[in-house]
Amino acid sequence: MSRSGKLKAVTPTPPAQLDRFDEANSARLGLISVQERIPDDYTRWDIEFTVDERPARLTCISPGEYGGVPHGLDGDFATILNVMYLEQGAPESGIVHTTAYQLLQRAGFPDSGQYYQSLQESLDRLKAATYTASESWRDHKRQRWTTVKFNIIERITAETQDGLGFGSGTALKIQLARPVVESIREKYLKPLDMSFVLSLKRSLTRSLYRVLDAHRYQPGAEMEAAAEFRINLQQWARECKLRETVPARIKRNLESAHKELLERGYLLSVEYEGARAETVIIYKFGDLPTSTPAPEPVIEVIPDTPVADALRRYGVAPTVARKLVADYGEALVTQKLEKFEAMIKGGYQARKKSALLVDVIRDVSGKYADPEGYQQEPQRAKASLQAASIAKRMEAEEAQLNHRLEEEFLGLDKSEQAARALNQVRMFIGREISEKALKALLRSMHAGEVEPYDIYRAVTRAASELRLGDFAHEIRHVYERQA
């Protein structure tokens, strides 16, 4: 559901269960100011800090005509671009293929002119702002700190249909910064609770959450989450790229974000020690197992709709059920659920009912004929037609995007296809599969027993549908025996 609708009660996922990731350097450095609005003259910030007891520095310079330094919603779009780049296989080119409509949908924003304008302004700012990370950018491959200078977006190619502004039909080709691309391809990643991010109401809360969550994960192979984080308050303001330096004002600026994160159970407490310049802020996290349970969220809990509950009873994952209802609307999902039930009652054989149900809901091409005796209720017809129109548009855009990605993938030679497919598998489920099984998979692709693109698409789709556990099981079942 978009943020224009009612808020669902989404609680944080324990770190060990997360299967989405963000690039660790940009997350840890907090490249985007958490402020929702900034003054016109806020075109530069410069912070100094220490990394492994060595001096480090981070600078951002952004032209005033683009709205100053990146801030607010810019962080939402930058994060989604990293997630989509990963989902598209982290290609060497660093290019993300998408549309303006898909970016808004993935970031949780409504399909409206206001947000298309905000998206265009954000992308322009992310391209215009120049960052210099001095001895503070981690080269994960060589295990050392380096200096890099970059723009979060290196190039934007937009194919607009009407006029110069972005609209629902705008096709985008976005090339990400080389340092970010290399970090992602070298798997310098941190876990990301994307469902929780999308459920937060304010951009201030989402921005603070991303910076705070990144500081929990210390660089290392396991990226284990800390239970507590403490830092000097004025230094924390600099990390969040706030202009305020007075402790009382810093507290006031962050108060609403703290309140939401406490209410949602991500934070157990926010405490302060010391006074004035010596004030330290202490965060204790509530999404890890503790001897004292975290308090229940005090926000208004809006339960899943009956149709979402019905999908879950057929084995559809809760997150997927909520997304289907949000994307396609209750009317269409209800109608498709009734059709699915009629198909099963009529003897349709499904290897896995949950997978068939999801496919029936997403189908707008007539792949599944109406079972004998099934007739849609008249009162749902009008609403279903409207929802189906939206669904068809989404499917058309997704098909167009997949066609571009397929052309790019199949244009590679077979060995590079196999390498890219294997890299995608490692990226998403590498910890759950033995090295011997991965080598067996690679041999199978080289031998022509399985097409690399089939593996590439299967793991990408499993990630988007939150079925990585099932996919890992299938890979182990087939290739552990060949290892």
Side-chain angles (χ1 to χ4, degrees):
M1 176 173 286
S2 75
R3 297 190 187 96
S4 60
K6 291 185 178 180
L7 177 68
K8 295 280 188 177
V10 179
T11 55
T13 301
Q17 298 176 24
L18 294 174
D19 57 7
R20 286 291 191 280
F21 301 90
D22 192 12
E23 194 275 314
N25 272 307
S26 48
R28 176 181 52 81
L29 291 172
L31 302 177
I32 314 295
S33 170
V34 304
Q35 294 180 227
E36 292 175 313
R37 288 171 293 278
I38 61 172
D40 294 339
D41 63 347
Y42 193 15
T43 58
R44 177 188 179 122
W45 49 253
D46 194 334
I47 65 169
E48 295 181 354
F49 50 100
T50 59
V51 175
D52 290 347
E53 300 182 352
R54 296 169 52 191
R57 188 171 184 172
L58 181 65
T59 302
C60 174
I61 301 174
S62 186
E65 57 264 36
Y66 288 103
V69 298
H71 61 279
L73 301 186
D74 303 351
D76 294 307
F77 295 124
T79 300
I80 285 297
L81 284 171
N82 284 347
V83 171
M84 294 181 75
Y85 173 67
L86 263 168
E87 291 176 354
Q88 293 180 16
E92 168 67 25
S93 66
I95 290 175
V96 177
H97 295 275
T98 184
T99 66
Y101 178 75
Q102 286 173 325
L103 269 178
L104 288 185
Q105 289 291 304
R106 293 295 302 273
F109 298 117
D111 178 17
S112 74
Q114 172 193 346
Y115 282 97
Y116 283 113
Q117 182 179 345
S118 295
L119 170 61
Q120 189 167 1
E121 291 171 355
S122 285
L123 296 184
D124 284 343
R125 240 183 330 267
L126 294 173
K127 184 182 183 303
T130 299
Y131 293 87
T132 304
S134 302
E135 293 300 314
S136 54
W137 190 272
R138 187 68 172 174
D139 182 335
H140 190 51
K141 185 176 183 179
R142 296 175 179 81
Q143 293 294 299
R144 66 184 185 186
W145 299 100
T146 61
T147 295
V148 296
K149 188 171 184 176
F150 63 96
N151 304 76
I152 292 177
I153 293 177
E154 289 188 0
R155 179 180 297 178
I156 304 170
T157 302
E159 298 175 8
T160 57
Q161 293 180 337
D162 302 309
L164 299 176
F166 282 10
S168 60
T170 302
L172 295 168
K173 188 164 68 171
I174 299 171
Q175 186 171 9
L176 301 180
R178 198 68 217 161
V180 173
V181 167
E182 290 173 353
S183 282
I184 291 176
R185 288 174 61 81
E186 291 164 7
K187 302 178 193 173
Y188 192 52
L189 308 169
K190 66 162 291 292
L192 176 67
D193 192 345
M194 201 65 225
S195 296
F196 185 66
V197 171
L198 292 174
S199 75
L200 296 171
K201 292 183 289 186
R202 294 185 58 182
S203 68
L204 173 64
T205 311
R206 298 191 297 274
S207 297
L208 182 67
Y209 166 80
R210 284 189 290 261
V211 178
L212 182 56
D213 200 60
H215 278 267
R216 300 178 68 189
Y217 295 91
Q218 296 303 312
E222 296 304 318
M223 282 282 188
E224 293 183 359
E228 179 181 303
F229 172 65
R230 59 172 61 214
I231 187 172
N232 176 273
L233 182 60
Q234 290 182 326
Q235 178 62 29
W236 184 230
R238 290 189 288 271
E239 298 270 356
C240 294
K241 314 309 180 290
L242 297 175
R243 297 196 84 178
E244 295 290 357
T245 58
V246 178
R249 292 178 180 173
I250 297 170
K251 292 179 185 179
R252 187 163 57 248
N253 282 351
L254 298 178
E255 184 178 10
S256 63
H258 287 162
K259 183 175 184 291
E260 187 174 1
L261 292 174
L262 286 164
E263 289 175 343
R264 302 298 300 281
Y266 174 72
L267 291 177
L268 191 62
S269 65
V270 180
E271 301 170 358
Y272 298 95
E273 289 181 357
R276 298 182 181 177
E278 302 303 316
T279 303
V280 172
I281 187 169
I282 305 161
Y283 292 102
K284 293 184 179 178
F285 300 99
D287 60 346
L288 291 171
T290 60
S291 55
T292 304
E296 291 294 322
V298 296
I299 60 170
E300 177 188 3
V301 176
I302 303 173
D304 279 339
T305 61
V307 66
D309 283 336
L311 299 186
R312 293 168 63 177
R313 286 196 293 272
Y314 282 107
V316 178
T319 309
V320 176
R322 286 193 293 267
K323 189 174 188 307
L324 288 170
V325 175
D327 287 348
Y328 296 97
E330 290 189 28
L332 181 64
V333 173
T334 301
Q335 180 249 315
K336 291 296 188 75
L337 174 61
E338 291 171 350
K339 178 175 179 176
F340 161 80
E341 290 175 335
M343 289 168 60
I344 297 298
K345 188 176 180 180
Y348 193 101
Q349 297 297 311
R351 187 174 65 87
K352 192 173 183 180
K353 287 184 178 180
S354 60
L356 173 63
L357 175 54
V358 171
D359 204 36
V360 169
I361 292 171
R362 287 176 169 162
D363 173 49
V364 293
S365 63
K367 176 180 176 182
Y368 298 98
D370 288 345
E372 186 176 350
Y374 167 77
Q375 187 173 5
Q376 183 181 344
E377 292 185 23
Q379 63 266 34
R380 290 207 184 100
K382 185 176 180 180
S384 292
L385 283 172
Q386 184 178 10
S389 175
I390 296 172
K392 191 168 185 178
R393 172 176 156 193
M394 290 178 62
E395 185 169 280
E397 289 202 2
E398 185 175 352
Q400 185 180 32
L401 174 61
N402 288 338
H403 179 67
R404 290 181 192 167
L405 295 174
E406 182 177 6
E407 282 187 332
E408 180 184 329
F409 189 97
L410 296 180
L412 305 171
D413 63 50
K414 282 291 185 180
S415 62
E416 178 61 23
Q417 289 181 25
R420 182 174 292 191
L422 188 70
N423 181 62
Q424 187 79 333
V425 172
R426 285 186 189 276
M427 192 80 71
F428 284 111
I429 60 170
R431 293 184 181 181
E432 302 177 49
I433 307 295
S434 71
E435 188 62 30
K436 288 184 178 179
L438 289 171
K439 289 181 179 178
L441 171 60
L442 182 62
R443 287 196 300 272
S444 182
M445 288 189 287
H446 281 308
E449 297 168 355
V450 61
E451 285 296 322
Y453 187 70
D454 291 342
I455 296 294
Y456 172 86
R457 285 297 301 153
V459 69
T460 301
R461 184 162 187 175
S464 67
E465 296 176 358
L466 304 180
R467 294 188 298 100
L468 286 173
D470 290 343
F471 182 78
H473 175 75
E474 293 172 10
I475 293 294
R476 284 196 301 269
H477 177 72
V478 174
Y479 295 102
E480 290 285 358
R481 293 179 298 178
Q482 298 181 21

